[in-house]
Amino acid sequence: MSINNLQKYSIKTFAKPIPIYCVGDSHSIVYDNIYFTEESQLGHSFHCKSFYQPGFSSVSWLDDQGNLSKNIINLFKNACLLNKEGKANHLKTSGFRIDARKISQKVETNPLIIVFCGDIDLRSNFLKKLNNEYDFILPYLSPEKDIQCLNLKILPSQIVLNLVNKIIHSIFEGLTRLKKLGLNSIHLHSLPPVILNRKKFETINGFQTTPLIQKKARLLFNYLFKQKCIENNICFLDTWDQVTHNGNLLNEYLLDDVHLNKKACIHTFENLADLITNSNY
């Protein structure tokens, strides 16, 4: 090829997208292989990778000795987030490492991780125990403002709080231990506002409950998730208000009976971009 022909061409270098690791239950699947660009605040492109673990719940996190379970260690190793020694593996290969200095002028670098967990616990360990017999009052509402099922008995608030905190305790134990291993940019995602009618819920879960109790349970779990995240210095990605109107899920965000679609993912990215911009990442 002659020099004259070479002058027709130019070479441009494009930065590889920053990876976001979406780890956990089936709500993580929809994020797989999504690319998005945030120009207004960060000026970066991002690439989501999903690492789905069937049956992922609170009991997945710790073993009988109270240490991170082998399943959790292997899950994060498979995502190249932990090395063979079980420590944070901030990969040096371009495209698999976040240069956080370009984002927030902070020297330390960490992969962005979003954890999806709690939906199985809400249904199997909380709603099932209510046994379609009990209602409860949301802790941030007065009894006068809370909507209740007239045919159900009211379970004392402290019993409800103790039960849910006991259920989710191991989730935050696990997240805290991952942070100690060096995975500092870890986020917990809110539970989606997916409410089923009685028949569909019973078909999927094998027991009965009302749509109202489902909704209140999801609000309660997200409320306590947020509180626990604050206590443990973990970022909470809450998209509930963005995908609902008057507390009810907008149909445009529904994928199937239990999952949100890719359009809902946009709000996760919006919230994540705000956190990166306003926090010391």
Side-chain angles (χ1 to χ4, degrees), residues 156-175:
S157 296
Q158 196 57 51
I159 292 178
V160 174
L161 291 174
N162 289 343
L163 175 58
V164 178
N165 280 322
K166 183 178 180 180
I167 291 171
I168 67 177
H169 173 75
S170 59
I171 297 175
F172 287 93
E173 278 290 314
L175 292 173

Side-chain angles (χ1 to χ4, degrees), residues 61 68 72-73 76 82 88 113 115 173-184 186:
W61 288 90
L68 283 173
I72 289 292
I73 295 294
F76 280 80
L82 295 177
I113 304 167
V115 173
E173 278 290 314
L175 292 173
T176 300
R177 289 171 192 234
L178 287 173
K179 288 192 67 176
K180 289 180 179 178
L181 294 177
L183 300 177
N184 294 324
I186 197 163

